[in-house]
Amino acid sequence: MSATNAAPKVSPLLFLRSLLYYAGFYPVTMVFSLICLIIGPLLPFRTRFKFLTLINYFYIAWLRICCGVKVRVTGRENLPAEGSYVVIANHQSEWETLYFQLLIRPQAVVLKRELLRIPLFGWALALLKPIALDRSKRRGALKQLLEQGKSRLADGIPLLIFPQGTRLPVGKLGKLNKGGAMLAVSSEVPIVPVAHNAGLYWPGKSFIKYPGTVEVAVGPAIATQGRTVDEVHSESTAWLEEAMKQQGSLD
């Protein structure tokens, strides 16, 4: 599949395979979230993160079994082995929110505040120290991102940001905000771009999943010390855009 190809016809088999995925996804999520709400608060953050994201291994394995969606990662060695850093990634599928917690461990993610209101799941997600933004308050959201982001990075926790701000269809890039570059430069930590094409196989807000292999590319860590926000933003987003084109998820 590519960004310029129409989605394949939805067959009864695709529907049934996707139905089977959710038949396992929702019950397991509710039960595990309840367990996390009981045990999670008792654990220090790094141990808590490892415990709460154990379910993500189930999500990705169950997706492969039910829907034939696999994953291949290149450039994993580009993730810094120690210290904090900022990751920017494209946002086009629910898939990346599940897999990235396995790729970047531990992490804090920037997300919309509404997600934390989802019963059980959202309450458990809140235990992972996300930065939950109110997107209706743009100026206040940026201040919150910089203040809380610096705090997470100072604690040695990598931060994941989706600079598009919201999920966009395959083939669309949208406007990439500079929040990640601003945070990385002000904290003097590297910024790592990560591109993927999950939207080809799990389109945003789509019930149907299509078989195939999600390509994830981790770019080289970009130094920020002594550089301007514009320089860092331009270099990191240029790499992200080119990688998305090579993966077939950007026109």
Side-chain angles (χ1 to χ4, degrees):
M1 298 175 65
S2 70
T4 56
N5 291 338
K9 183 178 180 180
V10 178
S11 67
L13 180 59
L14 281 177
F15 178 84
L16 289 174
R17 294 179 75 176
S18 299
L19 183 63
L20 178 61
Y21 175 73
Y22 283 114
F25 178 94
Y26 285 115
V28 172
T29 296
M30 288 188 289
V31 172
F32 190 74
S33 296
L34 183 58
I35 294 172
C36 289
L37 289 171
I38 297 171
I39 298 177
L42 305 176
L43 304 174
F45 175 73
R46 293 179 183 274
T47 304
R48 184 192 313 161
F49 185 92
K50 291 179 181 179
F51 178 73
L52 267 64
T53 56
L54 285 175
I55 194 173
N56 294 50
Y57 291 101
F58 163 76
Y59 290 147
I60 299 303
W62 190 236
L63 185 64
R64 182 180 66 251
I65 293 169
C66 296
C67 303
V69 179
K70 305 175 184 177
V71 58
R72 178 165 52 237
V73 181
T74 58
R76 191 189 297 266
E77 68 279 2
N78 289 327
L79 292 171
E82 57 184 22
S84 57
Y85 51 94
V86 173
V87 173
I88 61 166
N90 57 307
H91 202 19
Q92 58 182 217
S93 170
E94 287 83 348
W95 179 91
E96 70 254 15
T97 61
L98 305 178
Y99 183 76
F100 281 4
Q101 288 185 333
L102 302 180
L103 180 66
I104 305 155
R105 301 175 64 79
Q107 63 162 267
V109 64
V110 179
L111 45 72
K112 58 183 179 181
R113 187 175 59 182
E114 293 82 356
L115 289 176
L116 303 187
R117 297 172 181 167
I118 300 174
L120 297 181
F121 172 81
W123 304 341
L125 181 60
L127 296 174
L128 297 180
K129 294 187 176 182
I131 299 177
L133 303 180
D134 182 349
R135 295 187 297 182
S136 67
K137 301 177 181 179
R138 296 185 61 184
R139 182 170 298 180
L142 179 59
K143 181 180 179 181
Q144 180 186 354
L145 170 63
L146 295 176
E147 290 180 351
Q148 295 187 14
K150 287 182 179 180
S151 175
R152 303 293 191 278
L153 294 170
D155 289 338
I157 303 172
L159 191 66
L160 172 62
I161 297 177
F162 298 103
Q164 291 165 309
T166 189
R167 290 188 183 93
L168 294 178
V170 168
K172 303 298 182 181
L173 182 64
K175 182 179 180 180
L176 304 177
N177 67 62
K178 298 181 180 180
M182 294 174 66
L183 185 56
V185 170
S186 62
S187 299
E188 296 187 328
V189 299
I191 187 168
V192 181
V194 177
H196 68 90
N197 61 359
L200 296 174
Y201 310 102
W202 183 339
K205 300 181 181 179
S206 172
F207 177 83
I208 301 298
K209 315 292 182 283
Y210 302 95
T213 301
V214 177
E215 299 286 349
V216 179
V218 181
I222 297 170
T224 62
Q225 291 182 331
R227 305 184 66 189
T228 67
V229 170
D230 286 341
E231 288 174 345
V232 172
H233 178 72
S234 295
E235 183 177 347
S236 58
T237 55
W239 187 96
L240 186 65
E241 183 175 353
E242 180 59 29
M244 290 175 64
K245 289 179 179 177
Q246 292 179 10
Q247 293 170 342
S249 66
L250 185 62
D251 294 329

